[in-house]
Amino acid sequence: MYKYRKSIRLALLAVLLVNVAIICGYWWNSSYVYLTSGTLALQLIAVGRILGLLGVLAALQQFVIIGRIPLLEQAFGQDRLSRLHRITGYVTFIFISLHSIFIVNGNALLTGKTVPSQYWFMITTYEDINKAVIALISLYLLVGSSIWIVRKRLKYEWWHLIHLLTYVFIIFAFGHQIELGTTLGSFTLFKLYWLVLYTVTLGAFGFFRFLLPIYRFSTHRFTVSEVVKESRNVVSIYISGTNMDSYSWKSGQFGVFTFLQKGIPIQPHPFTISYAPLNRKQIRISVKNVGDYTKELQN
């Protein structure tokens, strides 16, 4: 697998570029009249449309990046995916924010209203604009919490909870685009493509992020069998289960573990598998006390 990393990365980049080309092609067909009209208001609206479409594409890409898809993790590595996740998050924020600004300012020029008045008019007049408002507020909270945790002012648990707003954003953004999206409304084939894009992306995310771990747990019935204190702030946790010989893993690999224990937050955390016994009946991870969650695991 590792010798094919470069080929996989190029193939995934090609898939992304094909999607961008499809989106830009349909947008151009529905908006070129606005762009060539010579009217600033219409040009702003046209640019706002493509920013919204590409912003949601970037948001869907986030689900792929954090979906724990094995092919993607093997091709890029978790550290690189984490950096890409952060960068793509800011791209999403910038594009969606500019989408809102361009659309509202363009419509304000057309109607002769002030920008605040135009915002208020659209919110109170267009029924489905409220979905866009909810999506935008969710996005602002997401980015704000990410900046906050970088400055170490927000607990990881709260940051993790706030990140559930990602689902709120993507659902309400979809509803807004289906109801009011001009490009989607102009072409039935493009609307079908957009539905397939959402279905495939969120389907892969749901399968690898939730269904596959649940299947593995139901198959192997993982249990903490032993906890050994290695030093003052390090413990080794031994995990056993059924049919462990059929469970594929390697020493040095990292896994994402969730411990279902009273008093410990139900959160996934990455830890490295710290040994490879010959009988392969147990998995061992060694955890150092470096924060609130790992402190709980010491006990």
Side-chain angles (χ1 to χ4, degrees):
M1 171 59 69
Y2 292 104
K3 64 180 179 180
Y4 299 118
R5 275 184 171 182
K6 187 174 181 180
S7 298
I8 295 171
R9 291 174 191 171
L10 290 174
L12 292 170
L13 177 61
V15 170
L16 175 62
L17 293 177
V18 166
N19 280 287
V20 170
I22 292 172
I23 290 169
C24 289
Y26 276 104
W27 162 78
W28 175 257
N29 283 333
S30 66
S31 300
Y32 75 92
V33 173
Y34 281 29
L35 288 168
T36 58
S37 66
T39 304
L40 178 60
L42 296 179
Q43 291 169 343
L44 288 175
I45 292 171
V47 174
R49 289 174 181 174
I50 188 62
L51 288 169
L53 290 168
L54 294 179
V56 172
L57 178 65
L60 288 172
Q61 185 182 336
Q62 289 286 66
F63 282 86
V64 175
I65 292 170
I66 65 172
R68 298 185 196 139
I69 301 172
L71 183 67
L72 207 64
E73 292 187 333
Q74 291 165 9
F76 288 90
Q78 190 63 31
D79 290 343
R80 188 178 282 112
L81 284 177
S82 296
R83 291 193 296 272
L84 187 59
H85 170 62
R86 184 175 64 253
I87 293 169
T88 308
Y90 288 126
V91 169
T92 303
F93 173 75
I94 291 170
F95 276 32
I96 296 298
S97 297
L98 289 176
H99 162 72
S100 163
I101 292 169
F102 275 63
I103 292 294
V104 173
N105 277 269
N107 279 280
L109 288 175
L110 283 177
T111 61
K113 299 178 183 292
T114 63
V115 172
S117 297
Q118 185 63 39
Y119 265 111
W120 182 250
F121 174 78
M122 293 176 75
I123 291 171
T124 55
T125 304
Y126 299 109
E127 182 179 349
D128 289 294
I129 206 70
N130 293 327
K131 294 176 182 177
V133 173
I134 293 172
L136 195 60
I137 291 173
S138 301
L139 186 62
Y140 286 157
L141 288 173
L142 282 169
V143 175
S145 69
S146 298
I147 295 172
W148 202 353
I149 198 171
V150 167
R151 296 180 178 178
K152 300 185 183 298
R153 294 179 182 175
L154 184 67
K155 284 198 170 201
Y156 174 83
E157 288 76 16
W158 281 105
W159 173 81
H160 188 269
L161 183 63
I162 291 173
H163 260 58
L164 295 178
L165 288 172
T166 306
Y167 307 116
V168 176
F169 168 77
I170 206 68
I171 290 170
F172 280 93
F174 177 76
H176 164 66
Q177 289 184 310
I178 289 295
E179 296 297 333
L180 294 178
T182 302
T183 307
L184 269 69
S186 301
F187 305 100
T188 302
L189 190 60
F190 184 65
K191 182 180 285 189
L192 179 61
Y193 155 80
W194 204 248
L195 287 168
V196 171
L197 185 65
Y198 257 79
T199 302
V200 171
T201 301
L202 299 183
F205 174 81
F207 176 78
F208 287 106
R209 190 74 184 259
F210 300 108
L211 295 182
L212 187 57
I214 291 171
Y215 169 76
R216 284 174 173 164
F217 179 74
S218 65
T219 301
H220 299 287
R221 306 303 298 176
F222 297 115
T223 305
V224 173
S225 55
E226 189 179 3
V227 179
V228 177
K229 196 167 185 63
E230 306 287 2
S231 68
R232 182 177 58 84
N233 61 349
V234 175
V235 294
S236 287
I237 300 174
Y238 291 80
I239 300 167
S240 59
T242 59
N243 303 314
M244 291 297 286
D245 290 334
S246 65
Y247 187 66
S248 177
W249 54 273
K250 295 178 182 179
S251 179
Q253 232 176 359
F254 86 92
V256 179
F257 296 82
T258 302
F259 292 96
L260 306 178
Q261 166 102 2
K262 185 178 180 180
I264 296 178
I266 301 177
Q267 296 171 355
H269 285 261
F271 296 107
T272 301
I273 297 172
S274 57
Y275 87 141
L278 294 177
N279 60 20
R280 302 185 67 82
K281 297 296 184 183
Q282 288 182 314
I283 297 171
R284 184 185 76 183
I285 61 173
S286 297
V287 180
K288 184 177 182 180
N289 179 7
V290 292
D292 293 341
Y293 186 83
T294 51
K295 181 181 179 181
E296 294 291 339
L297 296 187
Q298 302 295 305
N299 301 314

